Amino acid sequence: MLEGRRIILGVSGGIAAYKAIEVCRRLVDSGAHVVPVLTEAAHNMVGPTTFTALASEPVKTSLWADRDPIPHTRMGQSADAIVVCPATARVISDLATGRSGDLLAATLIATAAPVVVCPAMHTEMWEHPAVQDNIATLLRRGVVVVPPEEGRLAGGDMGKGRLAQPETVVAAVHQLFVGGDGGVEDKLLSGRQVLVTAGGTRESIDPVRYLGNRSTGKQGHALAEKASQLGAEVTLVTTSGIQSSNSIKRVDVVTAADMHAAVSASSNTMDIIIMAAAVADFRPSDVSNKKLKKADGTPTISLEPTVDILAELGAAKKSGQILVGFAAETNDLHKNALAKLSRKGADLLVANDVSAPGVGFAHDTNEVTIFSANGDVQEVPLSDKESIAEAVLRAAAQLLVD
Ligand code: CTP
């Protein structure tokens, strides 16, 4: 978490500036004191009022608007980190060459704090040797660059240059404060092996159709990132397209059988296994190798059960290993969760009522109850999925035997 950290959020004039609003909100939710600094051009893209309302201080733009004659030096000196999101080619160039044409550029040059730069621009600009040289300069100086992603760009073009997702940007900021000089994060899981599954499995019906579910993998990915921040060696078995940090060993899978194989391959050496994935309980017993045609009439799809991975792990648990299950319920949360906890031989069961607002699949927030086999019950109120991940990992870490 970022409690007490003073973070300058620099927003420059790219179309992606609207995503910085979400970054601002998430940083504030993590406890950071956020100071928004918008360039003149950013004012054409987003309203400063929104940032002023969400951040910890009003928006600043000019070197001359303040009574303080040297706002950039004060801000640069007092910052714990500066995040530029989005960073245009111009701001990247200013930082690389030491130009201080406006408040943001001047503050970036007047700081010794870590800097995170999140470029966003058209592919041609991103790939231009001038921009790439500037990025190489920044990387050499220790600036953290959150690379742009492939995807749709302004004007409908496709390619590399789209601003990274807000969660990726915020994870990069969190990463600055992991461990080290009395950072806010401790290394609770240092030296521990943690396996997390994420996303919803897909079971083929024919080459174009599948049976799936509504899980996006957000909670599982948040667990993997948080476990890594807490010092664990993390293996993430996922069906989701969400990016993950380089520190995480990632295995991409599609079906319940793939997930079963990937989990079985590494489960023996794990200290904590968290089954956050929504694994299909059934799959079509016959997968057609040709597309089923309407002209052949309505098909009858017969199903067969998949392996219950968690129950299998629970039945052959390695001593000292902690197993965590998830349960998405729509009714009788406590009763169903407690039954599932004992049926699957898990140590913890994280249950959420997916019918409640802001909870469960596809949301950025979640509200869960963590049931422990030792009888403890912990309610975690509605919060972002990173905070839920931390609560789950702390509960699991408490059960680990040294
Ligand atoms: N799970 C699993 N393998 C399966 C199905 C589920 O490992 N084939 C795990 C999930 O990852 C989750 C937990 O079991 O951690 C609970 O999943 P859920 O689908 O809620 O449990 P079920 O036993 O399928 O119960 P229900 O009848 O409510 O679907």
Side-chain angles (χ1 to χ4, degrees), residues 8 37 60 62-64 66 68-79 82 100 102-112:
I8 295 180
V37 176
K60 294 180 174 50
S62 167
L63 276 159
W64 318 112
D66 231 288
D68 185 348
I70 45 168
H72 56 298
T73 351
R74 298 242 185 288
M75 286 203 298
Q77 284 164 348
S78 61
I82 303 184
S100 60
D102 64 8
L103 180 61
L104 177 57
T107 308
L108 281 165
I109 294 162
T111 194

Side-chain angles (χ1 to χ4, degrees), residues 98-145:
R99 273 167 55 93
S100 60
D102 64 8
L103 180 61
L104 177 57
T107 308
L108 281 165
I109 294 162
T111 194
V115 174
V116 177
V117 162
C118 313
M121 62 196 78
H122 256 71
T123 314
E124 294 81 356
M125 294 174 74
W126 172 245
E127 289 176 350
H128 193 284
V131 173
Q132 286 303 310
D133 282 355
N134 286 335
I135 290 287
T137 302
L138 298 189
L139 287 170
R140 204 180 56 245
R141 290 184 195 146
V143 170
V144 176
V145 177

Side-chain angles (χ1 to χ4, degrees), residues 197 256 259 274-282 306-311 313 324-329 336 340 343-344 349:
T197 64
M259 188 168 275
I274 305 179
M275 287 295 303
V279 189
D281 291 324
F282 308 99
T306 59
V307 174
D308 188 324
I309 306 170
L310 181 58
L313 293 168
V324 183
F326 268 68
E329 303 289 344
N336 287 336
K340 220 166 260 187
R343 191 168 76 238
K344 304 226 180 194
L349 195 104

